[in-house]
Amino acid sequence: MILALSAMLFTVAVAFAEGRVEQSFNFGWKFQLGDVAGAEQPNFNDSQWRTVNVPHDFQIEQPWVSPAATESADMSDPGANRRSRLSGRGFKEMGIGWYRKTFTPEASWKGQRVLLDFEGIMYLGDVYLNGERIGGTDYGYVGFEIDVTNLLKYGQPNVLAVKADTSVPNSSRWYTGGGLFRDVNVIVTNPQLYLTRHPLYITTPQVSESEATIKVQAEIASVDRAPIKAELVITDQQGNEVARQSEEFVRRVTPYEYMFKDVKLQNPKLWDCENPNLYTATVTVFDANGKAVDSVSDTFGVRTVEFSPLYGMKLNGKKVLLKGVANHHSLGALGAAAYPRAIEKRIQLFKEFGINHIRTSHNPYSEEFMDLCDQYGILVVDELYDKWLDQYCGGRAPWSELWQKDIPEWIKRDRNHPSVVFWSLGNELQTYWNLPYGDWGVTPYRMQRELLKRYDDTRLITVAMHPRGRSMETDSLPAPLVHETDIASYNYRYMYFPGDGKRFPHMMFYQSEANTSGMGPNWFEMDLDKVIGLAYWGQVDYLGESGGWPAKGWAQGSFDLSLQPKPLAYLLKSMFVEEPVVHIGVIDNEVDLLWNDVQVGTAHMSEHWNRTKGEVLSVMTYTNGDEVELFVNGKSQGVKKNVDGKDKNKLKWDNIKYAPGYIEAVAKRDGKIVARHRIETTGKVKKLVAESDNANWQADGMDLQHVRIYAVDSKGRRVHSAENQLKFRVEGDAEIVAVDNGNIVSHELHAVKERKLYRGSALVILRAGQSPSDIKLIAESDEFAPVEVVLQTK
């Protein structure tokens, strides 16, 4: 009974305190693809439209569009990117989708302040209530709210309609998704006295192991001119109260930012990557009678971040290197739909491989992403834009009219997250002569910087530089924009760090994108004692920015689209962790791919030992050991030392003759065996097996269950050659929202209920319903007995 009630409260209404209610509007929308005339009108007949729940990405459901004969499908052709209309967008046709939701306002809302809160609409959004346009967005990565207090019709149905539009040509360089891809909520507050949108600003200006100073500012609106009574309560991660203070503020203009007296926190638990301790600050405001009328809570961490050209970055006084990735916001088979569990699964995978940093290239990610980075100790470079051009910011409104609204919303939403270590205002834009003011981005940066500092003056600011973009006067000097930024962020060109640092000793360097093909040298060749770190580009394969049809997207990552690690992922791990690592990859072919004048192609490798007898192979072993000995069926193929240089942690073995049995790599440190990796020849497929990933699956209508199906032989070993067709069905209150197998050249769709095995594996993603129940997933094949997975939502 308690579990059922909890689920109901989550999906219907969550009361955070007296006077404030947040109600999810994620469920029960009607959807129709296409620009439907009159769809905003309340009397429009939507009975034939499909029912969907948010988050929802309508682009992922669309068929693939192969390049026309007049277009270039080969992206190795330098001009092909301009001629392949949809290669950047994942070969999905752009378009319009309409959403409608009919609801009757609750009687308790009457006389209150009522807001519609959209965390984002991809890419352009228009919102209508009862036929009238009431708001929208021209840059769908940034959230907004609409005050509908005086627009609702009580005691009768109201119709909320949303038009989501991705059809503006060339408005993005990658797969954006489309639709209501993030949460929608209704917020109800007291109309006379309330906390505003993202009202809290929490900083920790002085921190030591024995004491921390906490500053809390709250933006409060009050219609009455009477003094404002407010209370601040701070609790630790276990819910224990550690501080409480009351204030009576003289009412100023409304709204106004009121500062509480400093809180001195004794023996604080610091936030870092290994121990991401969090506190919660709750601010409550009271009316003249002492009744609590509004309350807002936000989590924060107690930590210090310092930067210097002498040591790069310190977290709580200790040197930390950013060991990171830079990916777009989409989530593989789910498209752009921002499911918290899908984000969490990625973060857990990153942590396992030693990754401690994510750059949000090139736009703000979801609020749930930020929360999860706080919880898992991930360091974030939070980025707002790609280029400061109309074309790359939605394409409907001039960029020069967007940043004044986008920056306050972005900063106020994210500034309390301890995971955010510095801000980035853009990417690869310093080469554009047609930026506003014609000075290669200097003046637009200065203007944005001043506005940003109005909302957060505790963090440094950067812009990521295009690899081709040096000074227009001489290529030996950095671009003028670099000199304006606090941190010199170079995409790929880490080799400029020593020379630029010698000429300009104040510069602090961050490799904001690093290519996978250069993995190893582009880490070890930096001065790791002085740099801030790096972010490897596209470490999870993603839709869009294809290297050429039939690939539906970027395929140079360390993890495939379904999050299966490739052999290359273990090179990344060997560089980023102290624990011993050794892993084998059999080289199938080399890939030559030039992107932005940077070689990004990586070798395609596999890790199975079912080959042609007598075949001669090249094998890579990735290790952080001192040496590796390679064996085939117990026979040594020699020992290779792991030495400094361009092949550090990468030991290549040529002329390895295949024979059925096994291949094994044995790594040693100081003469002692510290790690092994063995690949065996498998037999024929005997059955299918399944693995689920979420033992605490919640019946909240949002939580996901990822179920991996494997084809195995009689000894339970995965058979990589299996490519059998599977069909899926589910029983119970859950639905299949996506399928995948990691094969980025497959023509199969993701929003369906069938998929072939690829390298012996397939993935099914289930979305929980809102009623706790037993769930059964059945995977069927014509060749094997079905496999059933019995699960439960709580």
Side-chain angles (χ1 to χ4, degrees), residues 461-702:
I461 308 169
T462 193
V463 172
M465 299 295 151
H466 194 288
R468 289 198 302 266
R470 300 286 281 174
S471 169
M472 295 299 110
E473 297 176 357
T474 169
D475 196 51
S476 65
L477 294 175
L481 183 57
V482 177
H483 295 288
E484 300 293 322
T485 62
D486 298 321
I487 293 171
S489 299
Y490 293 179
N491 286 356
Y492 309 105
R493 301 305 193 197
Y494 69 95
M495 60 288 295
Y496 291 140
F497 291 174
D500 288 356
K502 187 174 293 185
R503 294 183 185 93
F504 307 102
H506 67 281
M507 280 188 168
M508 299 176 287
F509 296 102
Y510 163 61
Q511 194 178 168
S512 36
E513 289 176 22
N515 54 320
T516 308
S517 59
M519 187 179 289
N522 53 19
W523 171 257
F524 292 117
E525 290 176 6
M526 295 192 299
D527 186 343
L528 298 179
D529 291 330
K530 293 184 177 181
V531 299
I532 293 168
L534 57 62
Y536 278 108
W537 179 257
Q539 287 313 285
V540 180
D541 290 352
Y542 58 87
L543 298 175
E545 295 190 296
S546 167
W549 181 268
K552 309 307 186 298
W554 183 265
Q556 313 306 316
S558 295
F559 307 92
D560 72 22
L561 198 66
S562 72
L563 299 185
Q564 291 271 74
K566 302 177 187 178
L568 190 64
Y570 295 89
L571 172 58
L572 197 71
K573 186 173 185 177
S574 75
M575 293 156 45
F576 286 173
V577 303
E578 291 297 323
E579 68 185 75
V581 173
V582 68
H583 201 89
I584 299 168
V586 181
I587 299 173
D588 296 322
N589 62 284
E590 302 281 354
V591 175
D592 182 27
L593 179 62
L594 201 64
W595 197 277
N596 280 347
D597 290 345
V598 176
Q599 177 56 244
V600 298
T602 57
H604 285 180
M605 288 181 280
S606 54
E607 47 186 301
H608 66 83
W609 201 241
N610 288 65
R611 310 279 170 169
T612 303
K613 191 172 183 179
E615 185 178 358
V616 177
L617 304 168
S618 291
V619 173
M620 189 71 78
T621 56
Y622 297 123
T623 188
N624 52 13
D626 297 336
E627 62 182 48
V628 170
E629 187 169 9
L630 189 69
F631 298 88
V632 174
N633 298 330
K635 183 179 179 180
S636 177
Q637 307 297 301
V639 175
K640 289 185 181 287
K641 300 289 185 180
N642 187 15
V643 297
D644 291 342
K646 67 182 180 64
D647 293 324
K648 184 175 175 63
N649 288 23
K650 303 186 288 187
L651 305 179
K652 186 180 180 185
W653 310 73
D654 291 317
N655 301 313
I656 301 299
K657 190 173 182 180
Y658 171 74
Y662 70 88
I663 183 171
E664 184 175 32
V666 178
K668 293 182 179 180
R669 283 181 181 169
D670 299 323
K672 297 180 180 179
I673 295 174
V674 292
R676 296 175 181 268
H677 182 223
R678 178 168 168 150
I679 303 174
E680 299 179 351
T681 304
T682 59
K684 295 181 179 179
V685 177
K686 289 295 183 182
K687 62 178 180 179
L688 302 174
V689 297
E691 294 179 0
S692 58
D693 77 330
N694 189 353
N696 193 33
W697 195 15
Q698 299 296 300
D700 57 13
M702 293 286 293

Side-chain angles (χ1 to χ4, degrees), residues 431-444:
T431 59
Y432 286 83
W433 63 268
N434 56 335
L435 290 173
Y437 307 103
D439 58 0
W440 310 102
V442 170
T443 297

